[in-house]
Amino acid sequence: MALTVIRMVVPSGAAAVTAGFTVQKAGLHTTSVRSLRYGLWAYLLGERTTPRLSQYSKIITVDGNLASGKGALAQKLADKLGMHYMPEPDTFYMDKMTEEKEPLPVDFNGMCSLEKFYTDPKAAGGNSYRLQNWMYIMRLLQYADAIEHLLTTGQGVILERSPFSDMVFLEAMFKEGYIRKECVQHYNEIKGISICEFLPPHLAIYIDQPAEEVQKKLKQSDKAFLQNVPLSYLKSVEDSYKKSFLPSISETSELLAYDATQAQDVERVAEDIEYLKFEKGPWLEQDDVTYHHMRMLVEDKQRVACLTHIPKFLPEITIGAHEYDEKYTAFRALPGKQYARGYNEDVGDKYVWLK
């Protein structure tokens, strides 16, 4: 269901602009619904990526358990280094991509709920895995946005988590009995055929905070559904980070780890980054030809989303044809969704007959 909904609402190319920044792209063709877009002709006419790259033209991810201070460090570090900060995506990230004035109903955003997961993680109906599957797709789309921004503008990007670290939640869910073995198999399959299309971050920063401290902070949260997250789940996330993600990411990316107190010293973290030589990872092998193909992929968000689409039945994420038709019809009935952007008079689009 997640992928079929994505096909409905994710525009390809430059129409999928991430909220928070606007980039001017090289291209030759423009219409009322498509702004200038990088493409083959731009490359053939001399558009190149490497000349705009500088010392901090990097993808940096900040990881850690819930409430570990990731967002604060990422934002301050981005300001310090002159990089672009992208906060962790939520289940409504796609609405930001399509610049919705207000979030669309949950039926068009993965049919899942983060609040329901934390209040009833073993609820019947498959919400837990539907959420995990949807969030992996959202992280993949955001990562594509980050690479697109880097290659288009030369400005580095700092993100909270990434599709490379998303698996820590899957492993914790399975260990706690929230999802079935078949869900893990499905996740590993779609990740295996999608993550390989992307280069890992240049640098991964990990904030190490004991699960007990994380739970104490969550109990003080203003979000009621976070106040009773089981300690065992938080420990499972922590274990997955240390036993699975960190050993894996250190093979292809630079890695810095801090405890929660050290992570508050942005000056120190920035200095540590400055001294890194970035001498490992597939980014070293890239040139203008590979950057060209990378840009062609990441600007086409529908193509990115479809990387996770496999013909496999799984009750947690599959709906019947009749229900799908009902949801599709309901989506098309929303204001501005009957036709392509710019052609809907019901939301004020003008001169449609001239386009």
Side-chain angles (χ1 to χ4, degrees):
M1 175 57 195
L3 266 295
T4 54
V5 174
I6 282 180
R7 286 182 173 182
M8 285 191 269
V9 301
V10 172
S12 62
V17 178
T18 304
F21 67 90
T22 302
V23 294
Q24 186 70 20
K25 305 177 184 179
L28 296 176
H29 181 67
T30 181
T31 71
S32 59
V33 294
R34 176 177 292 174
S35 59
L36 291 177
R37 176 182 179 184
Y38 176 82
L40 178 60
W41 276 108
Y43 178 77
L44 293 177
L45 292 175
E47 168 73 7
R48 295 294 183 268
T49 298
T50 52
R52 66 172 62 93
L53 301 181
S54 61
Q55 177 185 4
Y56 292 119
S57 295
K58 301 286 190 292
I59 299 291
I60 299 176
T61 61
V62 181
D63 272 277
N65 215 324
L66 280 67
S68 58
K70 302 179 302 300
L73 174 60
Q75 190 163 26
K76 292 177 181 178
L77 199 57
D79 293 338
K80 175 72 176 177
L81 301 179
M83 301 177 72
H84 179 66
Y85 166 62
M86 298 181 72
E88 185 173 10
D90 57 17
T91 56
F92 297 97
Y93 180 75
M94 201 157 58
D95 290 341
K96 300 173 184 176
M97 293 175 60
T98 53
E99 300 178 310
E100 302 294 340
K101 294 182 179 179
E102 58 183 34
L104 297 180
V106 173
D107 277 359
F108 311 120
N109 279 290
M111 298 174 62
C112 55
S113 167
L114 182 65
E115 180 175 349
K116 183 177 181 179
F117 167 71
Y118 283 119
T119 55
D120 188 9
K122 294 184 179 181
N127 177 75
S128 292
Y129 182 63
R130 201 156 50 248
L131 172 69
Q132 181 63 29
N133 179 68
W134 183 254
M135 286 307 302
Y136 174 74
I137 299 170
M138 295 303 101
R139 294 191 204 281
L140 200 67
L141 289 170
Q142 186 192 53
Y143 199 73
D145 281 333
I147 293 180
E148 182 179 6
H149 182 79
L150 169 67
L151 299 183
T152 304
T153 68
Q155 183 185 29
V157 182
I158 299 183
L159 309 91
E160 296 176 51
R161 299 200 177 101
S162 74
F164 291 87
S165 62
D166 180 75
M167 36 69 65
V168 300
F169 298 103
L170 177 91
E171 292 184 359
M173 286 182 182
F174 181 65
K175 186 175 181 180
E176 295 300 303
Y178 300 162
I179 59 176
R180 301 182 300 132
K181 181 179 179 181
E182 290 78 6
C183 296
V184 177
Q185 294 172 341
H186 177 267
Y187 179 93
N188 288 334
E189 187 172 354
I190 63 171
K191 183 177 181 179
I193 62 176
S194 57
I195 203 70
C196 58
E197 299 293 331
F198 296 87
L199 300 181
H202 294 82
L203 166 64
I205 299 175
Y206 176 68
I207 301 177
D208 184 16
Q209 187 168 40
E212 292 80 4
E213 295 299 319
V214 171
Q215 188 181 51
K216 289 180 182 178
K217 294 177 68 174
L218 291 177
K219 288 184 178 298
Q220 300 171 4
S221 172
D222 56 355
K223 298 179 180 178
F225 62 89
L226 290 176
Q227 295 175 3
N228 295 306
V229 179
L231 179 60
S232 59
Y233 174 75
L234 297 174
K235 285 186 175 181
S236 294
V237 172
E238 181 181 354
D239 290 344
S240 183
Y241 262 122
K242 294 179 178 179
K243 295 178 181 179
S244 298
F245 172 68
L246 296 182
S248 174
I249 201 66
S250 64
E251 296 178 1
T252 57
S253 307
E254 300 292 345
L255 176 63
L256 293 175
Y258 304 94
D259 62 34
T261 301
Q262 294 171 333
Q264 296 177 17
D265 188 349
V266 180
E267 295 290 339
R268 172 185 173 177
V269 177
E271 184 177 353
D272 289 343
I273 294 174
E274 185 177 353
Y275 281 110
L276 290 174
K277 296 182 178 180
F278 294 98
E279 293 181 333
K280 63 179 178 179
W283 285 96
L284 298 175
E285 305 168 3
Q286 307 308 307
D287 55 26
D288 280 311
V289 176
T290 59
Y291 284 143
H292 162 69
H293 291 292
M294 199 183 308
R295 289 178 70 177
M296 294 293 287
L297 168 64
V298 297
E299 75 173 8
D300 189 343
K301 300 306 185 297
Q302 181 169 315
R303 180 182 168 193
V304 171
C306 286
L307 290 173
T308 62
H309 189 195
I310 59 176
K312 186 173 184 178
F313 172 76
L314 195 68
E316 285 84 348
I317 60 172
T318 306
I319 65 172
H322 293 294
E323 186 178 354
Y324 169 78
D325 185 66
E326 292 175 359
K327 294 184 183 302
Y328 180 83
T329 302
F331 175 78
R332 288 302 182 193
L334 295 174
K337 301 301 181 184
Q338 186 173 4
Y339 305 109
R341 183 179 297 182
Y343 291 83
N344 295 279
E345 294 181 336
D346 62 328
V347 292
D349 294 336
K350 298 180 180 180
Y351 310 114
V352 173
W353 60 282
L354 289 175
K355 297 177 180 177

